[in-house]
């Protein structure tokens, strides 16, 4: 299989504009003859559905939540990047492009990333016009703050709830189209299979989560905007309902899955406090603007602190190791997430971690409060401080926050070309669901940027190029391909319900998550990955023998929902391990312990691994087939990343 990325010819800065001119158009009168399915209503999905409806297409939008505004995009805290250069500090479209390519450790396509930087400036204008209440400076201008991996301030924000405000903007645009009748909304409905007719994506099979009814929907094209797969680790900052089922079922129908081992571990999360936990809580990266990360300089001091023999304030300034500031003076506490996370793990592995478990470091605001005053810090981060206090029962204004890395985002996803189409004609993937923009590590505040760029400004152009070549005729859901897919979904649900085993779905999910975290998490090695692969296979076999799924299909059955999702995670987890095992290098969030510099930094192998690894499904338990898309760098020079 040859992977054609369809990157336009010409200079980097002109590719997108030329491409928009060259794509085929659908005239306004003909748009109403086409139907498009959008699965997922987060930032990527809601913005795509709203924009396609505004253009005149007939859209069906699906989400498993009870309302589109409960999509997990609502949980994003810190901000959204855009190359507006309002601070006059040297930012530009090219600098945002360069920072993103470098931040991703040179494992992303230049053309896609440059387009992302280009349209970032339009996103802010769009959202302001919708009424998104971005923070403003005293004079009324939009405010900015800094995020990791950049030396300029380009992040726009709405206190610590930027995702919520952006989603409400997209949700209002979506509701407008629902009211006009251009978008039909299907909440509490989960996609369980992709339907293909004559080699093209022509619809989906869904389950009504209230009644259990299995239904089919046909369309001329299908857009997946279903988010990432971080919950394969069980404990993550994702919502508990976040899952990979839609993308994985598409993968099993032939869509290639790219770079699945590229997962992001966020450095500032509230540490695990016990086995009873079902999720973790993010503390925004924006806190690293004013918070200073440190641990005691010696193991002895850390041990005394953990035993309660001394208090935090008993540790003198000269006995504190501000290790990020020490090792990376140019970027300090605002190094990229993969770098900050690995360093936190390193000091904890040395025995210098804090908290009862020793798996935490301090994020200290004492200097910022002394410098700016508590009211100024509260104005910036008040809701985040309140959240931390409610969860930990500690006052972060008076003592440092305890933080530790946790799974947050997945850079891997369905392989897409420049048009965001997968290798299946008519199937598109947008936002975190695809692999396209972040390489091996996403910079902070770039997820919201990608989701809205794809939904508002990319898909509306590129999907027309495909639809212009499609006949108007619809495929009936009575077509044998739909009936076959429905029967397969019903059979799988019945199989899960008939096992009547002894172990709960959550038990299997936790066991898988622990395997993934221990052997395919922040640090990996060949021996551990090979062990994990065998253990995942054993766990999967045991799942299909002994899982306990109660109830019946024809009702609200959350256990059945979970079982379907965990069944997919048990297959996806093995692919992640395969991908990590084959990539004999370290890059970004993929850190193979065998491949590191003397300073414990990621050591890439550009000669052998400067490519996108796109995997083809060949059956459960069979080895997947690897397809490579070589990455060409004509505008940036491949160098060892340095933030020192």
């Amino acid at each position: 299989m040859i992977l054609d990325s369809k990157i336009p010819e010409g200079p980097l800065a002109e590719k997108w504009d030329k491409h928009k001119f060259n794509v085929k158009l659908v005239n306004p009168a003909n748009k109403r003859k086409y139907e498009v399915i959008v699965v997922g209503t987060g930032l990527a999905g809601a913005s795509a559905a709203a924009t396609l409806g505004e253009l005149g297409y007939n859209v069906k939008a699906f989400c498993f939540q009870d309302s589109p505004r409960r999509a997990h995009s609502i949980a994003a805290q810190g901000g959204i990047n855009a190359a507006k250069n309002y601070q006059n500090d040297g930012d530009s479209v090219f600098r945002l492009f360069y920072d993103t390519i470098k931040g991703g450790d040179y494992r992303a396509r230049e053309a896609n990333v440059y387009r992302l930087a280009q349209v970032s400036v339009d996103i802010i204008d769009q959202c302001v016009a919708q009424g998104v209440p971005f923070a403003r400076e005293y004079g009324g201008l939009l405010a900015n703050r800094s995020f990791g991996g950049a030396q300029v301030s380009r992040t726009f924000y709405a206190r610590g709830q930027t995702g919520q405000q952006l989603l409400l903007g997209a949700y209002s645009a979506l509701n407008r189209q629902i009211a006009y009748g251009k978008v039909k909304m299907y909440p509490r409905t989960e996609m369980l299979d992709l339907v293909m007719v004559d080699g093209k994506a022509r619809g989906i099979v869904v389950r009504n989560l209230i009644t259990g009814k299995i239904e089919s929907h046909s369309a001329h094209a299908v857009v997946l905007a279903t988010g990432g797969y971080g919950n394969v680790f069980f404990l993550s900052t994702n919502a508990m309902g976040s899952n990979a089922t839609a993308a994985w079922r598409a993968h099993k129908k032939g869509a290639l899955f790219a770079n699945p081992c590229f997962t992001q571990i966020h450095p500032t999360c509230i540490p695990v406090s016990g086995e009873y936990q079902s999720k973790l809580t993010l503390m925004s990266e924006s806190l690293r603007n004013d918070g200073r990360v440190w641990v005691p300089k010696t193991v002895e001091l850390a041990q005394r602190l953990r035993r309660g023999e001394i208090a935090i304030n008993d540790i003198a300034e000269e006995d504190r190791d501000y290790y990020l500031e020490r090792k990376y003076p140019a970027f300090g506490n605002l190094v990229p997430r993969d770098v900050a996370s690995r360093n936190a793990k390193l000091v904890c592995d040395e025995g210098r971690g804090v908290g009862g478990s020793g798996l935490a470091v301090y994020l200290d605001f004492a200097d910022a409060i002394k410098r700016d005053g508590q009211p100024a810090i509260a104005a910036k981060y008040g809701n985040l401080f309140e959240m931390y206090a409610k969860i930990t029962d500690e006052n972060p204004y008076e003592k440092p926050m305890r933080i530790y890395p946790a799974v947050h985002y997945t850079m891997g996803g369905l392989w897409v070309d420049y048009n965001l189409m997968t290798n299946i004609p008519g199937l598109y993937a947008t936002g975190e669901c695809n692999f396209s923009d972040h390489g091996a590590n996403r910079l902070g505040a770039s997820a919201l940027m990608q989701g809205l760029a794809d939904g508002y400004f990319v898909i509306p152009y590129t999907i027309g190029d495909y639809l212009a070549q499609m006949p108007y005729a619809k495929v009936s859901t009575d077509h044998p391909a739909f009936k076959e897919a429905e029967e397969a979904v019903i059979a799988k649900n019945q199989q899960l319900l008939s096992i009547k085993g002894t172990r709960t779905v959550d038990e299997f999910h936790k066991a898988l998550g622990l395997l993934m975290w221990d052997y395919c998490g922040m640090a990996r090695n060949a021996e551990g990955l090979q062990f994990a692969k065998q253990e995942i296979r054993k766990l999967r076999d045991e799942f299909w023998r002994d899982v306990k799924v109660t109830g019946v299909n024809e009702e609200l059955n959350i256990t059945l929902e979970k079982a379907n999702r965990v069944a997919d995670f048990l297959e996806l987890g093995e692919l992640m391990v395969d991908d990590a095992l084959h990539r004999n290098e370290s890059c970004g969030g993929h850190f193979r312990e065998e491949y590191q510099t003397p300073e414990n930094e990621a050591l890439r192998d550009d000669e052998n691994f400067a490519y996108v690894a796109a995997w083809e499904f060949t059956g459960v338990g069979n080895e997947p087939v690897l397809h490579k898309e070589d990455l060409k760098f004509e505008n940036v020079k491949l160098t060892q990343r340095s933030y020192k």
Side-chain angles (χ1 to χ4, degrees), residues 622-640:
N622 297 336
E623 294 302 318
V625 175
L626 172 64
H627 302 276
K628 299 178 182 179
E629 179 202 334
D630 291 331
L631 294 169
K632 298 173 184 174
F633 295 93
E634 299 168 346
N635 299 274
V636 297
K637 185 181 178 183
L638 289 170
T639 58
Q640 174 68 36

Side-chain angles (χ1 to χ4, degrees), residues 378-644:
K380 288 183 184 178
Y381 314 116
N383 64 314
L384 298 171
F385 277 48
E386 289 168 17
M387 190 190 310
Y388 180 87
K390 283 180 180 177
I391 291 171
T392 64
D393 198 28
E394 295 175 3
N395 186 344
Y397 293 107
E398 296 175 357
K399 61 194 296 190
M401 289 183 178
R402 289 174 295 106
I403 57 167
Y404 194 69
V407 174
H408 178 60
Y409 187 89
T410 51
M411 285 74 67
L414 294 178
W415 181 90
V416 292
D417 61 18
Y418 190 70
N419 294 322
L420 304 185
M421 190 192 287
T422 68
N423 58 298
I424 295 176
L427 177 67
Y428 292 81
T430 62
E432 190 179 356
C433 180
N434 72 33
F435 87 101
S436 71
D437 291 354
H438 304 297
N441 175 64
R442 177 177 67 76
L443 291 185
S446 287
L448 307 186
M449 175 174 63
Q450 186 208 349
L452 293 180
D454 288 355
Y456 283 137
F457 298 109
V458 180
I459 272 288
Y461 285 97
T462 60
I463 201 168
D465 186 53
Y466 173 75
L467 293 175
Q469 304 167 67
M470 285 285 287
Y472 304 134
K474 299 175 183 177
V475 175
S476 168
T477 53
D478 291 330
H479 189 284
F482 281 93
K483 295 307 173 189
E484 184 182 328
E486 283 184 20
E487 288 167 7
V489 166
I490 291 168
K492 185 164 190 175
N493 285 350
Q494 290 305 321
Q495 184 182 2
L496 287 166
L497 289 162
S498 67
I499 296 169
K500 301 187 184 304
T502 62
R503 296 179 64 186
T504 66
V505 176
D506 279 351
E507 283 182 66
F508 283 103
H509 197 176
K510 284 181 181 180
L512 172 66
L514 193 60
L515 280 170
M516 296 301 295
W517 178 253
D518 286 347
Y519 301 106
C520 197
M522 267 195 287
R524 302 114 184 238
N525 59 61
E527 183 182 357
L529 290 165
Q530 287 161 353
F531 173 77
K533 181 178 175 74
Q534 299 308 314
E535 291 301 306
I536 290 169
R537 287 190 163 194
K538 289 179 192 173
L539 189 65
R540 189 170 63 232
D541 290 343
E542 192 176 342
F543 173 88
W544 285 105
R545 284 197 314 269
D546 197 31
V547 70
K548 181 178 183 178
V549 182
T550 55
V552 297
N553 179 71
E554 290 75 24
E555 64 178 0
L556 174 67
N557 190 335
I558 293 172
T559 307
L560 179 59
E561 291 172 35
K562 284 184 181 179
N564 261 306
R565 296 166 188 171
V566 172
D568 293 332
F569 282 143
L570 284 162
E571 296 168 10
L572 171 58
E574 184 178 352
L575 182 64
M576 292 169 66
V577 168
D578 286 335
D579 190 40
L581 195 54
H582 109 278
R583 192 173 278 276
N584 292 320
E585 65 163 354
S586 291
C587 56
H590 168 63
F591 190 74
R592 283 282 296 271
E593 293 173 335
E594 307 97 317
Y595 308 102
Q596 56 182 303
T597 68
E599 294 82 27
N600 305 114
E601 304 292 349
L603 184 62
R604 293 196 322 270
D605 180 354
D606 294 328
E607 187 176 340
N608 295 304
F609 293 98
Y611 60 75
V612 177
W615 297 91
E616 179 184 354
F617 182 77
T618 60
V620 178
N622 297 336
E623 294 302 318
V625 175
L626 172 64
H627 302 276
K628 299 178 182 179
E629 179 202 334
D630 291 331
L631 294 169
K632 298 173 184 174
F633 295 93
E634 299 168 346
N635 299 274
V636 297
K637 185 181 178 183
L638 289 170
T639 58
Q640 174 68 36
R641 266 193 327 170
S642 174
Y643 292 95
K644 297 189 175 183

Side-chain angles (χ1 to χ4, degrees), residues 35-38 201-202 219-223 426-428 463 466-467:
E35 289 195 349
V36 179
I37 284 172
V38 178
R202 293 307 303 261
H220 294 88
V222 176
V223 179
L427 177 67
Y428 292 81
I463 201 168
Y466 173 75
L467 293 175

